[in-house]
Amino acid sequence: MRGVIEGGWEFVIAAYAVTAAVLGLYASSILLRLRTERQRAMKQVP
Amino acid sequence: MRTAGQSRLSLASVALGVVLLVAGSYWGLARAPPEIFMGDVQRIMYVHVPTAWNAMLALVFAFVCALMFLFTNDWKWDNRLEAAIEMGVVLSILLCTQGAIWAKPTWGVWWDWDPRLTTTAVQVFAFGGILALRAFAADPMKRAVWSAVACIVAFADVPIVYFSVKWWNSLHQAQSTPDTVSSAFHWPLRINAIGILFLWTGLVALRARLGALRLRGELAPPDGGPPLVTR
């Protein structure tokens, strides 16, 4: 017991993976919703 | 034409944010030294702290948008308000998740009802509640006014989150400054903070555009005539 945390790379990888997944999924959801909304708006144009 | 240019600018901002985030994370994971007590686990700070700063910035922007909408009644501020709240909630949830992953090896628990964590949880539910409120309100004007007022009320929690570690005895460490952090840790923190800033500003601009398109559809006359709102 040295008062120093040893290892813990699994937590580091988990934190970065969660960050990439959350930001990536949110960005993808915006781009998909925007494309859908643009297509809907185009259909409404007479 | 103007809209296409704005969308390209927003996408460029998102792309620049991703590049900076990858560079900062590489620096934090591969080049920065481990911290003397926390070891490699401290590397989580290179994404956790920039996420916290940017979550607060997004909610400050939401507060400004709420005030601007109430003063001007201009729909673009309502679209930006919705986008900024959504971004602030996403970043706040991400912040809590990263914090829990860091807390387990350092504190021994995933979560503790400490002042900083509790006020951050309140922040998530308060602003998440505004998004729920917007989903239930059918009338665009009522939805905009109610959510702007609710945002101003919910924003009271944001400075409480920031000062909670100073006001109360907290398990969470107090804010760091460049003087209290080793210079070896500065650059990954700064690069990731700027990267997330570019990322969320680009995403908020795109999300506001999405809101504007939806609003135009909602306010369009049923006979298919020209929309009442073109912003």
Side-chain angles (χ1 to χ4, degrees):
Chain A
M1 190 72 177
R2 297 188 298 128
V4 177
I5 298 169
E6 291 178 0
W9 270 102
E10 65 275 25
F11 291 100
V12 178
I13 291 165
Y16 280 80
V18 165
T19 304
V22 168
L23 294 177
L25 284 172
Y26 182 62
S28 305
S29 88
I30 288 180
L31 294 175
L32 280 172
R33 285 184 285 167
L34 191 56
R35 194 176 66 176
T36 309
E37 203 59 40
R38 277 188 176 143
Q39 284 170 347
R40 196 189 58 77
M42 289 292 282
K43 280 180 192 165
Q44 280 188 341
V45 174
Chain B
M1 288 297 284
R2 186 167 157 253
T3 304
Q6 285 172 339
S7 291
R8 272 197 292 273
L9 192 64
S10 305
L11 286 170
S13 176
V14 171
L16 179 61
V18 171
V19 169
L20 287 170
L21 205 46
V22 168
S25 298
Y26 169 75
W27 195 323
L29 289 170
R31 298 195 57 187
E35 203 265 343
I36 191 165
F37 295 115
M38 287 189 277
D40 289 316
V41 171
Q42 179 269 343
R43 296 179 197 278
I44 295 172
M45 291 300 110
Y46 301 129
V47 282
H48 180 62
V49 175
T51 304
W53 291 341
N54 281 289
M56 283 201 169
L57 276 178
L59 294 175
V60 167
F61 181 62
F63 176 68
V64 171
C65 292
L67 287 177
M68 290 303 293
F69 178 77
L70 292 177
F71 281 120
T72 64
N73 270 345
D74 187 335
W75 288 107
K76 75 180 176 193
W77 292 109
D78 179 56
N79 296 327
R80 290 173 184 171
L81 169 70
E82 184 180 43
I85 291 178
E86 199 173 277
M87 192 72 246
V89 170
V90 167
L91 288 175
S92 299
I93 292 171
L94 180 59
L95 167 70
C96 291
T97 312
Q98 294 161 339
I101 294 170
W102 175 85
K104 182 63 179 167
T106 52
W107 295 349
V109 288
W110 296 102
W111 182 266
D112 184 81
W113 291 106
D114 134 285
R116 168 57 71 83
L117 275 65
T118 306
T119 51
T120 306
V122 169
Q123 179 176 289
V124 170
F125 285 104
F127 286 96
I130 298 172
L131 294 177
L133 174 77
R134 291 184 68 91
F136 284 109
D139 177 25
M141 181 50 86
K142 280 183 182 168
R143 181 173 64 214
V145 172
W146 289 352
S147 54
V149 172
C151 177
I152 291 167
V153 174
F155 186 77
D157 185 55
V158 175
I160 297 175
V161 172
Y162 183 79
F163 288 110
S164 58
V165 288
K166 291 186 176 175
W167 290 346
W168 297 293
N169 187 20
S170 178
L171 186 58
H172 194 285
Q173 57 266 57
Q175 292 94 342
S176 302
T177 69
D179 296 332
T180 60
V181 174
S182 169
S183 59
F185 305 148
H186 286 178
W187 282 107
L189 278 172
R190 287 172 182 165
I191 294 170
N192 276 353
I194 295 167
I196 296 178
L197 180 66
F198 274 106
L199 187 68
W200 79 253
T201 48
L203 289 177
V204 162
L206 291 169
R207 180 64 184 79
R209 179 73 197 136
L210 169 64
L213 285 169
R214 278 184 183 164
L215 185 67
R216 194 158 67 176
E218 279 181 294
L219 296 180
D223 61 358
L228 300 174
V229 171
T230 54
R231 285 179 201 279

